[in-house]
């Protein structure tokens, strides 16, 4: 995504929420933007990088991205960072003290919750951070609002001296809508960084004085929220129910119950409790629809406002109309109308027939690695080594836990493979005395949070073998550059990390570090077998690029000579999706047992000629096509 954004000031365009956030930040005069990629927030920075007036960077993790934004804010420039929900866990150490410090120029944290878990290890509600860190939460309901709210957020941040969280969800990030844009207004505080240790140096004596200021600020924000233009009531004729909504749930409720009164909270923390109380007085029953945790609900109940929420609505996933309708029908003791219009119960008639049948006729397609992925050989080897416990990490290589490799035993969060491996080593019981402990981690994950774990392993003399899969990109999130690729966010050259030297610096003995080509199976096997037997920390670095990077070179594909294929299935254990079964046969072995054979072919369009599968083929039935044009 390297093109310069062509949208003129004042134009209208169909934009995703992510693009709209980048546009809004740019118009607000934001000078610095930093992020670590993660679905669903990744594209925010990709779009931001198209605006030459903003400094943008891929940071090595979310904590660093927030710290970069904090530094820029202190220096007098508006700044933001973007991350997925789990990223804010990583960045939270910085956030929890920054909220005590306050800001210089406007500081915004755009955080995207993967509601419905389309691509995450868990589901979280980032609105908790508003309560925890005493900072305001803005929640857009569509792309236009995402654009408008981030613009507003910078001003709010300066007005109250607080970081502001813009809470997005997968739907807001990825769904496109028309966004009417404006002009960029340059912004810079008159003075740059002002030395002020009482504000910026958080030793206990200084922090203690600032904590009451943080609470005063929260009280002021609470009052402000009551009159914020982002919070409003949309009246409706059917007063049987009134809905409290925030973020995307406003759209869902409006679609499912067009005649009901709705209070829409765009400024959802601190919530405007008096406004909600007034609203509640005008309806028969109050329902709060929030994704995903009952935060507003708990607060409303604590304020003495009778409300229904998670008793009837799920505490996970999107609260889309097809989820809302049956739950609300139950609440009203009515029968759900799923078909044609029903004049008597208009609020319960679906406006669009979506629901449960979508997807019923789709083929199941479990996630798998790409054809020729350099991770394939690694998992092929790992699946053949006995007596292992393998701690995994987060990236494309997490798929090694699945079929046909089944070669990952744990996956927790980014970087955890290291500490978990050490814990498995130190905590092993007698029966596991000879177990080989292996940790698997990708290059980006290693730089994100794995390096510290490796240092911990060497420092504590762990008997662990680490596989560091350097494919020169952040494969899982779409191939962003990182220090392993030697290119920055604009694709320009930048210093490339040397993993061998880095591991050495982290305390791994030079003779225990090997760099291997993951397509060279015999070497990889040998390296693994040898290293797991040596009771020291060792690292095997693989050095072949992701097949999706632009500098990957394909070769002529391979094909299977049918008359030589014995159906042994060895090549299938590689797990390459370019290899497929054409025929299965069951034979009786000399010992009387049944054996299943599978005869295969190779999809020549998908095969990149990586040379992996021929190395698994005993009868040499896999041969390279002599002349081939793609
Ligand atoms: C805290 C956190 N931030 C971001 C992500 C999104 N994410 C998942 S895996 C990954 C990195 C994968 O890159 P790498 O380790 O190089 O492995 P690859 O996918 O290239 O094999 C990212 C950014 C996440 N899951 N958790």
């Amino acid at each position: 995504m390297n093109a310069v954004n062509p949208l003129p000031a004042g134009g209208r365009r169909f934009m995703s929420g992510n693009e709209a956030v980048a546009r809004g930040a740019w118009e607000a005069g934001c000078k610095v933007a930093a992020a670590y990629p993660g679905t669903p927030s990744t594209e925010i920075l990709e779009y931001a990088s198209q605006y030459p007036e903003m400094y943008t960077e891929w940071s090595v993790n979310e904590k660093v991205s927030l710290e970069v934004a904090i530094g820029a804010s202190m220096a007098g420039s508006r700044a933001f960072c973007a991350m997925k929900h789990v990223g804010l866990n990583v960045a939270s150490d910085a956030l929890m003290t920054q909220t005590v410090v306050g800001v210089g120029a406007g500081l915004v944290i755009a955080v995207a919750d993967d509601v419905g878990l389309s691509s995450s290890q868990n589901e979280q509600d980032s609105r908790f951070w508003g309560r925890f860190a005493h900072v305001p939460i803005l929640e857009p309901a569509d792309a236009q609002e995402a654009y408008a709210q981030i613009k507003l957020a910078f001003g709010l941040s300066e007005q109250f001296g607080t970081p502001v969280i813009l809470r997005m969800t997968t739907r807001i990030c990825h769904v496109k809508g028309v966004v009417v844009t404006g002009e960029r207004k340059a912004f810079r505080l008159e003075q740059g960084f002002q030395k002020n240790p009482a504000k910026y140096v958080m030793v206990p004596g200084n922090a203690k004085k600032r904590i009451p200021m943080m609470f005063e600020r929260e009280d002021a924000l609470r009052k402000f929220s009551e009159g914020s233009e982002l919070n409003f009531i949309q009246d409706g004729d059917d007063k049987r129910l009134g809905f409290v909504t925030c973020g995307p749930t406003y759209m869902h409720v409006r679609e499912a119950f067009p005649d009901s009164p709705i209070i829409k909270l765009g400024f959802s923390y601190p919530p405007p409790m008096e406004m909600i109380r007034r609203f509640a007085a005008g309806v028969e029953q109050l329902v709060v629809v929030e994704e995903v945790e009952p935060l507003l609900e708990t607060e409303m109940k604590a304020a003495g406002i009778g409300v229904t929420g998670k008793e009837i609505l799920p505490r996970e996933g999107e609260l889309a109309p097809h989820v809302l309708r049956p739950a609300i029908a139950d609440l009203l003791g009515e029968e759900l109308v799923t078909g044609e219009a029903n004049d008597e119960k208009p609020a319960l008639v679906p406006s669009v027939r979506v629901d449960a049948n979508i997807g019923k006729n789709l083929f199941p397609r479990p996630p798998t690695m790409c054809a020729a992925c350099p991770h394939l050989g690694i998992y092929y080897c790992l699946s053949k080594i006995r007596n292992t416990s393998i701690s995994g990490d987060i990236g494309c290589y997490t798929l090694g836990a699945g079929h046909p490799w089944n070669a990952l035993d744990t996956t927790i969060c980014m970087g955890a493979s290291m500490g978990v491996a050490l814990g498995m080593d130190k905590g092993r019981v007698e029966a596991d005395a000879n177990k080989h402990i292996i940790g698997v981690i990708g290059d980006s994950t290693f730089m994100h949070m794995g390096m510290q774990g490796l240092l911990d392993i060497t420092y504590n003399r762990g008997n662990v073998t680490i596989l560091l899969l350097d494919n020169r990109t952040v494969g899982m999130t779409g191939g962003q550059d990182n220090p392993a690729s030697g290119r920055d966010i604009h694709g320009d050259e930048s210093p490339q990390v040397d993993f061998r030297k880095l591991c050495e610096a982290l305390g791994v003995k030079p003779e225990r570090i090997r760099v291997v080509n993951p397509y060279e199976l015999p070497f990889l096997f040998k390296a693994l077998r040898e290293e797991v037997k040596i009771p020291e920390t060792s690292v095997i670095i693989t050095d072949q690029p992701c097949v999706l990077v632009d500098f990957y070179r394909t070769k002529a594909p391979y094909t299977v000579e049918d008359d030589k294929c014995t159906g042994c299935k060895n090549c299938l254990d590689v797990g390459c999706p370019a290899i497929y079964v054409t025929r299965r046969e069951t034979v009786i072995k000399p010992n009387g047992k049944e054996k299943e054979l599978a005869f295969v072919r190779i999809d020549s369009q998908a095969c990149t000629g990586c040379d992996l599968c021929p190395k698994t083929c005993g009868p040499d039935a896999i041969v390279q096509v002599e002349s081939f044009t793609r």
Side-chain angles (χ1 to χ4, degrees):
M1 202 184 288
N2 285 326
V4 172
N5 194 314
L7 185 68
R12 295 161 71 89
R13 192 163 71 199
F14 224 44
M15 282 186 193
S16 66
N18 282 346
E19 183 175 2
V21 166
R23 174 75 193 196
W26 175 76
E27 285 184 20
C30 177
K31 182 86 192 307
V32 170
Y36 180 73
T39 309
S41 66
T42 309
E43 300 84 8
I44 296 177
L45 244 275
E46 291 180 331
Y47 283 114
S49 72
Q50 297 174 2
Y51 295 101
E53 296 85 352
M54 279 200 279
Y55 164 80
T56 47
E57 69 161 51
W58 286 129
S59 307
V60 293
N61 66 37
E62 295 86 352
K63 178 169 179 281
V64 173
S65 76
L66 175 54
E67 289 155 353
V68 168
I70 288 170
S73 156
M74 286 174 172
S77 291
R78 285 186 166 180
F80 84 94
C81 57
M83 60 199 66
K84 69 182 289 170
H85 59 296
V86 277
L88 196 43
N89 304 341
V90 176
S92 62
D93 202 11
L95 171 67
M96 293 307 289
T97 300
Q98 185 57 27
T99 181
V100 181
V101 169
V103 304
L107 174 65
V108 181
I109 300 164
V111 58
D113 286 0
D114 190 7
V115 176
L117 278 121
S118 69
S119 180
S120 300
Q121 61 267 45
N122 71 5
E123 191 178 62
Q124 278 180 210
D125 191 332
S126 293
R127 296 176 307 150
F128 269 114
W129 292 110
R131 279 84 179 162
F132 197 10
H134 311 285
V135 300
I137 302 271
L138 305 188
E139 289 193 71
D142 61 15
Q144 177 75 59
E145 286 193 4
Y147 155 87
Q149 288 191 8
I150 191 163
K151 280 182 86 169
L152 240 152
F154 286 105
L156 193 68
S157 170
E158 284 146 14
Q159 186 181 344
F160 289 91
T162 178
V164 175
I165 293 179
L166 181 77
R167 192 253 189 163
M168 315 266 286
T169 64
T170 303
R171 181 168 288 271
I172 306 302
C173 291
H174 289 166
V175 170
K176 289 189 171 185
V178 173
V179 176
V180 184
T181 58
E183 314 243 344
R184 174 175 163 91
K185 261 206 206 145
F187 177 91
R188 189 176 277 274
L189 282 187
E190 297 226 321
Q191 292 159 322
F193 180 66
Q194 299 294 296
K195 283 186 193 297
N196 184 354
K199 177 171 180 188
Y200 291 127
V201 182
M202 282 305 95
V203 291
N206 290 341
K208 246 182 216 161
K209 291 184 197 120
R210 294 198 67 83
I211 285 176
M213 292 156 78
M214 178 178 72
F215 291 131
E216 273 168 34
R217 181 187 78 199
E218 194 176 23
D219 285 342
L221 282 162
R222 189 164 283 116
K223 287 196 190 92
F224 183 82
S225 162
E226 297 285 350
S228 166
E229 64 196 82
L230 301 182
N231 296 334
F232 62 83
I233 291 169
Q234 181 186 303
D235 206 6
D237 295 336
D238 186 353
K239 304 272 195 265
R240 288 178 300 166
L241 293 177
F243 291 94
V244 179
T245 65
C246 51
T249 65
Y250 167 70
M251 296 299 195
H252 295 321
V253 169
R254 212 176 59 164
E255 180 181 334
F257 307 102
D259 299 325
S260 298
I262 306 174
I263 183 163
K264 177 185 185 301
L265 306 180
F267 187 128
S268 75
Y269 186 80
M273 214 46 93
E274 292 318 309
M275 187 183 186
I276 295 172
R277 202 185 298 281
R278 283 196 304 276
F279 176 73
V283 297
E284 285 172 34
Q285 272 196 78
L286 192 65
V287 178
V288 55
V289 184
E290 50 187 332
E291 291 170 349
V292 288
E293 298 277 359
L295 299 187
L296 289 168
E297 178 181 339
T298 309
E299 287 158 354
M300 278 185 247
K301 284 177 175 165
I305 301 172
V307 63
T308 304
K310 298 298 177 187
E311 301 96 316
I312 58 161
L313 295 171
R315 202 168 166 167
E316 63 195 76
E318 284 198 298
L319 299 180
H322 71 274
V323 177
L324 292 176
R325 286 188 191 107
I328 301 297
D330 273 357
L331 179 70
L332 291 177
E334 296 186 4
E335 225 173 87
L336 178 68
V337 182
T338 52
E340 286 74 47
N342 177 330
D343 291 342
E344 284 167 6
K345 300 169 189 161
L348 299 180
V349 177
S351 53
V352 195
R353 295 191 68 169
V354 273
D355 305 358
N357 283 330
I358 287 185
K360 272 202 175 149
N361 297 323
L362 299 178
F363 297 130
R365 284 182 41 195
T368 190
M369 291 188 216
C370 301
C373 170
H375 301 339
L376 291 172
I378 292 147
Y379 283 110
Y380 179 81
C381 291
L382 285 174
S383 68
K384 306 277 175 201
I385 292 190
R386 297 234 175 92
N387 200 21
T388 56
S389 289
I390 307 173
S391 68
D393 225 300
I394 310 222
C396 294
Y397 50 90
T398 311
L399 293 165
H403 182 77
W405 317 281
N406 303 314
L408 268 197
D409 299 314
T410 70
T411 301
I412 307 292
C413 65
M414 289 194 73
S417 59
M418 301 284 116
V420 170
L422 183 64
M424 283 177 157
D425 175 34
K426 300 294 181 189
R428 60 173 92 214
V429 297
E430 197 61 35
D432 288 339
N434 297 320
K435 222 176 212 149
H436 305 311
I437 311 291
I438 298 174
V440 184
I441 190 163
D443 51 83
S444 180
T445 307
F446 184 69
M447 292 180 286
H448 176 279
M449 206 53 91
M451 295 192 289
Q452 297 87 339
L454 180 57
L455 185 59
D456 200 55
I457 292 173
T458 58
Y459 174 59
N460 294 299
R461 300 175 203 88
N463 176 10
V464 167
T465 297
I466 300 302
L467 275 164
L468 202 179
L469 315 187
D470 175 15
N471 62 357
R472 317 280 156 72
T473 193
V474 195
M476 181 82 168
T477 48
Q480 290 72 27
D481 283 303
N482 69 11
S485 72
R487 292 191 300 195
D488 68 12
I489 195 168
H490 304 291
D492 296 333
E493 220 173 285
S494 64
Q496 189 173 18
V497 69
D498 181 331
F499 282 117
R500 182 190 271 279
K501 283 192 188 152
L502 182 56
C503 292
E504 213 178 309
L506 291 171
V508 187
K509 289 183 185 165
E511 64 274 23
R512 293 277 65 79
I513 305 172
R514 305 195 196 198
V515 180
V516 298
N517 178 337
Y519 295 107
E520 295 296 340
L521 287 184
F523 291 102
L524 186 56
F525 252 127
K526 188 166 176 292
L528 251 174
R529 286 229 168 85
E530 287 173 0
E531 291 305 339
V532 294
K533 280 190 197 134
I534 298 170
E536 289 180 357
T537 310
S538 55
V539 179
I540 299 173
I541 304 165
T542 63
D543 68 351
Q544 291 301 302
C546 169
V547 293
L548 299 178
V549 297
D550 51 12
F551 55 89
Y552 181 82
R553 293 279 161 268
T554 53
K555 291 182 255 167
Y558 280 82
T559 187
V560 179
E561 293 188 341
D562 290 347
D563 52 338
K564 286 194 191 159
C565 178
T566 59
C568 73
K569 298 195 285 193
N570 246 357
C571 60
L572 289 176
D573 289 348
V574 170
C576 179
I579 307 175
Y580 61 97
V581 176
T582 53
R583 182 166 57 89
R584 290 184 193 272
E585 219 176 83
T586 305
V587 293
I588 309 295
K589 293 200 291 187
N591 62 7
K593 287 199 176 150
E594 283 191 353
K595 183 180 179 188
E596 197 204 47
L597 303 178
F599 297 88
V600 300
R601 293 251 167 87
I602 293 175
D603 177 349
S604 57
Q605 290 305 322
C607 176
T608 70
C610 79
D611 199 26
L612 193 60
C613 56
K615 299 197 176 89
T616 66
C617 183
D620 289 332
I622 301 179
V623 294
Q624 202 152 21
V625 174
E626 270 173 18
S627 69
F628 187 81
T629 38
R630 284 184 196 274

